Amino acid sequence: MLKKYIMALDQGTTSSRAILFDHEGKRIGTSQKEFTQIYPKAGWVEHDPMEIWGTQSGVAREVLETTGVSPQDIAAIGITNQRETTIVWDKNTGKPIYNAIVWQCRRTAAICDELKAQGMEAYIRDNTGLVVDAYFSGTKVKWILDNVDGAREKAENGELLFGTVDSWLIWNLTRGKVHVTDYSNASRTMLYNIKELKWDEKILEVLDIPKSMLPEVKASSEIYGYTDHQTYGGADIPIAGAAGDQQAALFGQACFQPGMAKNTYGTGCFMLINTGDKFVPSENGLLTTLAWGVDGKVEYALEGSIFVAGASVQWLRDELKIIRDAEDTEYLAKKVADSNGVYVVPAFTGMGAPYWDMYARGAIVGLTRGAKAEHIIRATLESIAYQTRDVLEAMQEDSGIDLKSLKVDGGAVINNFLMQFQADILGVQVDRPEITETTALGAAYLAGLAVGFWNDKNEIANKWNVDTVFSPTMENAKKEKLYKGWKRAVSRALKWESEEEEDEEIMEEECVAYS
Ligand SMILES: Nc1ncnc2c1ncn2[C@@H]1O[C@H](COP(=O)(O)OP(=O)(O)O)[C@@H](O)[C@H]1O
Ligand SMILES: O=P(O)(O)OC[C@H](O)CO
């Protein structure tokens, strides 16, 4: 009997999800669980790797129970994950030696400054496609080896393993039999040479990271191993696809041709454009990254990474407490005619593309006595659209492509106000597809291709359907005026933290001078 479904495991920054897809690419069941965000210090973000694994394996079991689907009917599992987040675990016990250091965490800013001082910036950009930033895994691994008691010695003895979340899940799903990652995830570590397709010896040496810790890099669509025999009632399910969540979304949106782009609105916001078999260097603050390895070759993408998008809506809910649910933002933003001159710059963890400022911090500017909570809510949603315009402009410059429409996906695209404002501020049509969980769909497609559940990319491309089109309606002069205000607001947030240190140094010097 032919198996009927693919299971996608989508391990995001704030929640773990398991989604079952049928042969039509239709979602037939979802199970989701949020997990704890740990903020040990300002600018630091961690997750408990055991909670990542616990929630992810829990939702996988739950989706089978709630849909009544038998594990025997699952043709393959595809994995997609928050990228860059770094886990180091003991090879013998399978236990992590420290919490996962999350992609948003800024604790390694000083290590990055040191790399820059050592003149490594150009080498890293030319060989990994990345800018030197605390965002990527490399400096996080170094931090763990330098700061966890006994870690370096164990690593040098070959007793520790490093992995991004895909590796951690595959290791656990196979009960410690398989230690791999895929090209797309490897390209986010700042340790992988995306031109030569191998771990970069020079960067490993500079960061003092033993090669024995690193996973084997595999294609994004192939069988890596099988689930443990007992876990799914005797069904040995192949784990047959893996990709970082943003690359998986590019795949799920069927952006298979060079020049096709998508923007995913989740915790952060990530715009990727397929550049085919070409490594296109960026001159405008974007990243060059591996899109995937499929059909025996790798393809590249240019990426604009925005660190805080939907997370700013969670901030309105959890910290400011001026909304009850994320979805309230749509109605409340529409209650006011505009943001009343208010701009929110959500640089909570520095700013990513195109600014790359690890020391930027959040700002609310333009407040007057008439500013209401609704204005702040509206300005927060608008900040997501402005940041997207920042990266779209950089992308158009770098790729020479004048984008006519933008495919969108992710949890926040349900917000019609945000989508309309996005179309307006870009002056570009925004296409929202029927399935907005394209991250999970992409992982399912990658796994399904590996086991013959789907034949090829053409079959997949035919499944993409638009649900809603948002066309720009704002006049040009207004659009440009609003965007100019955004750029001014950003200039106030940049370098905020480093200026504080400079101010303190100046004050100390002045104190010494007066004493
Ligand atoms: N109606 C909404 N309007 C704006 N943002 C929303 C809405 N619904 C969800 N979000 C935001 O979308 C994000 C969740 O999207 P998701 O794709 O699940 O993210 P991730 O994979 O990063 O965990 C959250 O940050 C949440 O605040
Ligand atoms: O959790 P998400 O979906 O916002 O994705 C996080 C990214 O992978 C970080 O690079």
Side-chain angles (χ1 to χ4, degrees), residues 213-234:
M213 297 179 72
L214 306 177
E216 189 184 344
V217 184
K218 299 273 203 174
S220 313
S221 178
E222 69 170 74
I223 297 177
Y224 312 117
Y226 293 82
T227 55
D228 182 74
H229 192 66
Q230 279 140 31
T231 313
Y232 294 103

Side-chain angles (χ1 to χ4, degrees), residues 53-129:
W53 167 239
T55 52
Q56 192 61 72
S57 52
V59 291
R61 267 195 308 276
E62 193 176 83
V63 76
L64 293 173
E65 275 160 29
T66 53
T67 54
V69 166
S70 154
Q72 320 289 340
D73 268 336
I74 306 296
I77 291 176
I79 290 179
T80 183
N81 53 288
Q82 52 166 325
R83 306 167 302 167
E84 301 95 12
T85 297
T86 297
I87 304 174
V88 175
W89 67 94
D90 188 308
K91 197 177 183 171
N92 301 314
T93 64
K95 295 271 177 291
I97 62 158
Y98 192 76
N99 271 342
I101 302 186
V102 177
W103 58 276
Q104 299 157 316
C105 188
R106 307 279 86 194
R107 83 183 61 190
T108 58
I111 305 180
C112 293
D113 289 339
E114 225 170 276
L115 280 175
K116 288 180 188 169
Q118 287 170 315
M120 286 294 289
E121 239 175 328
Y123 181 87
I124 287 177
R125 194 188 51 236
D126 293 347
N127 293 286
T128 69

Side-chain angles (χ1 to χ4, degrees), residues 107-161:
R107 83 183 61 190
T108 58
I111 305 180
C112 293
D113 289 339
E114 225 170 276
L115 280 175
K116 288 180 188 169
Q118 287 170 315
M120 286 294 289
E121 239 175 328
Y123 181 87
I124 287 177
R125 194 188 51 236
D126 293 347
N127 293 286
T128 69
L130 307 176
V131 299
V132 175
D133 192 274
Y135 179 24
F136 306 105
S137 321
T139 57
K140 299 180 197 289
V141 181
K142 176 175 170 55
W143 189 94
I144 292 176
L145 296 185
D146 288 348
N147 289 279
V148 175
D149 268 357
R152 182 160 296 286
E153 198 188 339
K154 277 184 146 186
E156 272 154 17
N157 290 340
E159 291 169 47
L160 297 184
L161 299 178

Side-chain angles (χ1 to χ4, degrees), residues 170-181:
I170 296 171
W171 168 268
N172 280 290
L173 281 165
T174 60
R175 290 220 183 175
K177 289 199 189 82
V178 180
H179 183 223
V180 296
T181 188

Side-chain angles (χ1 to χ4, degrees), residues 10-17 32 82 103 245-246 264-268 270 309-315 317 325-330 381 384 409-416 418 436-437 439:
D10 178 2
Q11 207 302 301
T13 310
T14 55
S15 73
S16 299
R17 267 184 295 244
Q32 176 167 7
Q82 52 166 325
W103 58 276
D245 54 8
Q246 304 310 323
T264 301
Y265 300 71
T267 305
F270 299 86
S312 63
V313 173
Q314 290 170 324
W315 166 72
R317 185 193 62 189
D325 288 306
E327 66 181 294
D328 299 344
T329 53
E330 180 168 347
L381 291 179
I384 302 174
D409 56 71
V413 298
I414 196 167
N415 191 311
N416 293 315
L418 172 61
T436 55
E437 275 146 335
T439 296

